[in-house]
Amino acid sequence: MPRRIFLAALVAGAAALGVYWWLTATPILLAVTAPAYTPNPANGQTAFNAGGCSSCHAVPAQPDR
């Protein structure tokens, strides 16, 4: 009976260690996990100007766009 309890405790400990490792391991960088796009500041400026964002977010004394 003590041998069975020891074996169960050993298996439970190994499982707990595996779960701990899985939760704290650093992610592996694959091509799938790479960023989907790169930022495009020119596109952001176009969207800013077209959306009228400068009406609220303009710097004081900035010429109206």
Side-chain angles (χ1 to χ4, degrees), residues 4-20:
R4 185 176 273 174
I5 293 173
F6 176 73
L7 184 59
L10 187 64
V11 169
L17 186 62
V19 169
Y20 174 77

Side-chain angles (χ1 to χ4, degrees), residues 14-58:
L17 186 62
V19 169
Y20 174 77
W21 173 79
W22 179 63
L23 290 175
T24 60
T26 56
I28 299 171
L29 296 178
L30 302 173
V32 177
T33 59
Y37 67 95
T38 56
N40 184 353
N43 188 25
Q45 184 177 9
T46 302
F48 180 84
N49 292 332
C53 298
S54 59
S55 64
C56 297
H57 300 283

